Amino acid sequence: MNKYLKQYEWSNIGAMVRNNKAIPKETDARFDGRLVVITGATSGIGLETARFYASRGADLLCVNRSEERSLKLKAELEGVFKVSCRFHVADFSRLPDVHASAKLLAEIPENIDVLIHNAGVYNTKRRFTPDGIEEVFQVNYLGSFIINHAVKEKLRRQGKARIIHVNSEGHRFALAGVHLDDLGWERHRYTGLKSYGAAKTAQILSMYPLGEYFAGSGVTVNAMHPGDVKTNMGENNGRLYRFFKHRIINPSARDPLLSAQALYYLGVAEELAGITGKFFNFTTEETPAPHALDRDAAREVWAHSLKLGGLG
């Protein structure tokens, strides 16, 4: 029997439904000359977030899969907003690319004020990376874990920074948590929702040990659901899924600018200074699903991730 089922609270589900329809909080604060790192910044939520931060004076360092789109983004942000925009090309389905990105970020001389983990993928069918890891788990979770591990000492020395994971209410679909003994889905039935939920659950769980490392340092780490907004997520799947997405999901999806507004508030708002280890729907704090609150599971996920990412 699933040990987490009896811990579910219907009130938390009701809060999720209400908050999905909310408007994110805003802040008038600017971010001139501060450095923001965003992964997956050439489309959807990442693109709108890069634009939003640039419009408030922030400099950008973006980690993207496409060089062509990165060049276009750089030209737009520097031309329109007169800020600095650098980029690094990396495919998170390849661990050498992830490690190269992590090393780059750990060694840059300037402070990283906000680090936004946005890169992600949604698969309806099981796929493996060249590293032999299920693709959704690697791209959505392990990539951000490796980067966090690489920059954690730098951020703690800075004395102030905010890490934000673009997570999802989809973590609630991993009802049994993360199957660390079956990450390849050999003994469990694979579905897009379950694999995505497991990766997002792992991301939330990893916040707790990381938050302990940053205790008292001024560095915070939080996760947020970016709203049910229109993005290109899932366009890599088959015709049936794309038909469902375009006809059923997209018509009611909201503008990703709302997600950008929320990510700016979470990264900049003074009232969130020192708030860490929390899950937000847009800018409203929520209680994650029970399996994403299990501190014993968090320690197990952390230890396993070190090995899987070649970090220990």
Side-chain angles (χ1 to χ4, degrees):
M1 180 178 176
N2 187 335
K3 65 179 181 178
Y4 298 113
L5 287 179
K6 62 182 181 181
Q7 301 175 32
Y8 269 80
E9 298 284 348
W10 284 108
S11 59
N12 293 335
I13 304 300
M16 175 192 73
V17 173
R18 291 192 304 273
N19 293 331
N20 273 343
K21 300 176 182 179
I23 300 296
K25 296 175 185 175
E26 297 184 71
T27 176
D28 293 329
R30 290 187 57 82
F31 220 48
D32 296 280
R34 310 287 285 277
L35 180 62
V36 179
V37 175
I38 305 175
T39 66
T42 58
S43 66
I45 293 168
L47 175 58
E48 292 297 339
T49 301
R51 287 169 172 164
F52 205 102
Y53 271 91
S55 72
R56 271 70 176 174
D59 293 326
L60 279 298
L61 198 172
C62 301
V63 182
N64 305 316
R65 189 172 56 178
S66 166
E67 181 173 14
E68 180 181 358
R69 290 183 177 182
S70 296
L71 287 167
K72 183 178 178 181
L73 174 66
K74 175 180 173 67
E76 176 190 343
L77 298 187
E78 293 186 342
V80 174
F81 302 111
K82 311 305 178 186
V83 299
S84 169
C85 177
R86 291 171 285 167
F87 66 85
H88 175 74
V89 176
D91 182 345
F92 278 18
S93 69
R94 297 178 180 275
L95 285 183
D97 281 18
V98 175
H99 284 287
S101 302
K103 185 174 186 293
L104 170 76
L105 294 176
E107 294 179 351
I108 61 172
E110 60 267 62
N111 288 352
I112 297 173
D113 295 287
V114 178
L115 170 57
I116 299 174
H117 293 290
N118 172 68
V121 65
Y122 181 89
N123 293 338
T124 57
K125 294 183 179 179
R126 187 179 61 159
R127 296 191 184 103
F128 290 91
T129 70
D131 307 289
I133 303 169
E134 192 270 317
E135 187 177 60
V136 171
F137 192 82
Q138 179 166 323
V139 174
N140 288 272
Y141 164 64
L142 191 58
S144 62
F145 177 87
I146 291 170
I147 288 175
N148 285 342
H149 189 270
V151 303
K152 61 186 176 66
E153 291 183 16
K154 170 185 172 59
L155 298 186
R156 190 162 68 172
R157 286 197 305 269
Q158 289 178 192
K160 186 178 181 181
R162 298 187 190 184
I163 300 173
I164 307 171
H165 295 105
V166 179
N167 199 265
S168 176
E169 295 284 7
H171 81 273
R172 301 184 190 277
F173 289 104
L175 297 177
V178 183
H179 299 295
L180 290 176
D181 60 343
D182 189 26
L183 291 177
W185 298 87
E186 302 292 341
R187 300 188 301 279
H188 295 83
R189 180 173 174 268
Y190 182 95
T191 69
L193 287 176
K194 288 196 293 185
S195 69
Y196 189 73
K200 294 301 185 181
T201 295
Q203 196 172 63
I204 294 175
L205 291 172
S206 73
M207 291 197 309
Y208 307 136
L210 190 61
E212 292 173 4
Y213 175 85
F214 287 133
S217 70
V219 180
T220 62
V221 51
N222 292 296
M224 63 88 75
H225 172 65
D228 297 328
V229 298
K230 190 173 182 179
T231 72
N232 291 330
M233 180 76 80
E235 294 292 340
N236 55 296
N237 292 299
R239 285 185 297 175
L240 181 61
Y241 177 81
R242 294 199 306 273
F243 177 85
F244 175 80
K245 183 175 186 286
H246 295 165
R247 296 297 182 89
I248 306 299
I249 298 176
N250 283 355
S252 62
R254 304 170 76 187
D255 192 330
L257 183 59
L258 292 169
S259 308
Q261 180 179 316
L263 283 164
Y264 187 78
Y265 180 85
L266 295 175
V268 174
E270 185 60 34
E271 51 265 40
L272 289 181
I275 302 299
T276 191
K278 304 298 182 183
F279 176 82
F280 295 86
N281 186 329
F282 278 147
T283 55
T284 302
E285 185 182 337
E286 286 185 355
T287 302
H291 56 264
L293 291 169
D294 188 332
R295 298 305 175 106
D296 290 333
R299 286 187 285 271
E300 293 173 2
V301 165
W302 183 273
H304 195 83
S305 300
L306 289 174
K307 296 177 182 178
L308 201 61
L311 302 169

